[in-house]
Amino acid sequence: MTNPNVRVWLVDSIKRARKAAGMTLAQVSERCELLPESIARAERAGTDPKASTVAQIAKALGVPVCELYEKTGHERRKAKTTAKPSR
């Protein structure tokens, strides 16, 4: 199972990348030969999409897989402000 924080970033990144590409669930599913329900599940918080599914979605969206696993600048700043200082 994926780390819960990574899962949240991942599902948010997939949805954000799809919307940035101006694509619907149906369009992405057609490009990566997955059911629209599979794409919707990958975008839903609380799910743990398979690495192969993420790779197919990334290819369909024209983005590197690693980009979908990265935090956005906003999330990095939020993580820094909520992190406890190390001693």
Side-chain angles (χ1 to χ4, degrees), residues 6 12 19 22 25 36 43 51 57 66 69-70 76 78 87:
V6 172
D12 187 50
K19 289 185 178 209
L25 290 171
E43 290 185 355
I57 293 170
C66 63
Y69 284 97
E70 292 175 351
R76 285 188 192 116
K78 184 177 174 183
R87 295 183 186 231

Side-chain angles (χ1 to χ4, degrees), residues 15-23:
K15 191 172 198 173
R16 188 175 35 247
R18 178 179 60 80
K19 289 185 178 209
M23 296 176 71

Side-chain angles (χ1 to χ4, degrees), residues 78-87:
K78 184 177 174 183
K80 283 183 182 180
T81 60
T82 59
K84 294 180 182 177
S86 59
R87 295 183 186 231

Side-chain angles (χ1 to χ4, degrees), residues 3 32-33 37-38 45-46 54 58 69 86:
N3 174 309
C32 60
E33 299 178 356
E37 294 80 16
S38 297
V54 175
Y69 284 97
S86 59

Side-chain angles (χ1 to χ4, degrees), residues 1 6 8 15-16 19 26-28 30 32 34 41 46-47 50 55-56 63-64 67 70-72 75 80-81:
M1 179 181 279
V6 172
V8 169
K15 191 172 198 173
R16 188 175 35 247
K19 289 185 178 209
Q27 291 169 323
V28 175
E30 186 175 311
C32 60
L34 292 171
R41 249 190 325 273
T47 63
K50 294 179 183 178
Q56 287 176 279
V63 298
E67 188 175 301
E70 292 175 351
K71 290 185 191 181
T72 65
E75 291 162 331
K80 283 183 182 180
T81 60

